Amino acid sequence: MTAFLTALLLCAYVATSVGGLVLLKLEGNYLSARFLLGVFLYGTGFLIWYGLLRILPLSLAFPLAAGCLIVGTQLAGKFILHERVDPTHLVGIALVIVGIVVLSMREFVSK
């Protein structure tokens, strides 16, 4: 699979998982449409995660997916849930992004 399609799949994983988590966080009623949509999106993220595992080695798939999910949830927390992001969070996010870039370069540039 090309690097572009892998990156697209990774973005889809992050978008569905973060979207599902945000909806689950926002909704307290377990039978509401928003809560059920959150469950559906989070479950869809799991299926996409399984697809990533099929095409990437675990030693690459997990750090990439987990790192991207960390960055995505921090951004959603800040901009959607209006959570506080302090300088420590920003340093952590920057380090995670550096790690994602380094891993991606090793895997996709060397091919």
Side-chain angles (χ1 to χ4, degrees):
M1 185 172 269
T2 68
F4 175 75
L5 291 177
T6 302
L8 195 61
L9 197 57
L10 185 60
C11 289
Y13 164 71
V14 171
T16 56
S17 295
V18 170
L21 287 170
V22 167
L23 290 174
L24 293 173
K25 170 89 172 145
L26 288 172
E27 189 58 57
N29 181 359
Y30 299 129
L31 296 177
S32 72
R34 186 162 51 174
F35 181 85
L36 295 175
L37 179 60
V39 170
F40 173 77
L41 287 173
Y42 196 68
T44 300
F46 171 78
L47 294 175
I48 296 170
W49 164 241
Y50 182 70
L52 282 168
L53 283 177
R54 304 284 294 159
I55 60 173
L56 292 174
L58 179 62
S59 61
L60 179 63
F62 186 80
L64 286 178
C68 289
L69 196 57
I70 288 169
V71 172
T73 55
Q74 291 292 313
L75 292 172
K78 170 69 176 161
F79 295 110
I80 298 171
L81 301 174
H82 308 290
E83 295 177 350
R84 184 171 174 268
V85 176
D86 59 32
T88 307
H89 284 101
L90 295 175
V91 170
I93 290 169
L95 290 172
V96 169
I97 291 171
V98 167
I100 291 168
V101 169
V102 169
L103 281 173
S104 298
M105 288 174 50
R106 185 199 75 176
E107 179 65 20
F108 300 118
V109 173
S110 65
K111 288 186 176 185

